[in-house]
Amino acid sequence: MDLPAILAVVLIVAGVWSLAVWPQFLRRVMKDPRARDAGGKPTRFLTVHIVLVSISMVLGAATAAIGIAGLLA
């Protein structure tokens, strides 16, 4: 499959965006009072968000990698 350069660039930008935005979001979530219970243990709120951020970053890295591969092909 031949990927036009403009679409490859869009994929790269989308991937970089995800890799830049999600860590900032996780930092805010970790500071949220709902992230830890009274004993300091992680709550489901924190666990769900860590999973969400992890999956989103993997998909962002994959998106950027596909864009780079498309640009270099």
Side-chain angles (χ1 to χ4, degrees), residues 17-70:
W17 175 263
S18 288
L19 294 172
V21 169
W22 284 108
Q24 302 301 320
F25 177 75
L26 184 59
R27 284 189 192 103
R28 288 192 309 270
V29 167
M30 293 182 79
K31 292 178 184 177
D32 193 297
R34 298 171 289 180
R36 305 262 177 201
D37 64 14
K41 290 187 176 186
T43 61
R44 288 183 184 174
F45 173 84
L46 180 58
T47 303
V48 166
H49 282 86
I50 288 173
V51 170
L52 172 70
V53 169
S54 299
I55 292 170
S56 296
M57 290 193 64
V58 167
L59 290 174
T63 301
I66 293 167
I68 291 168

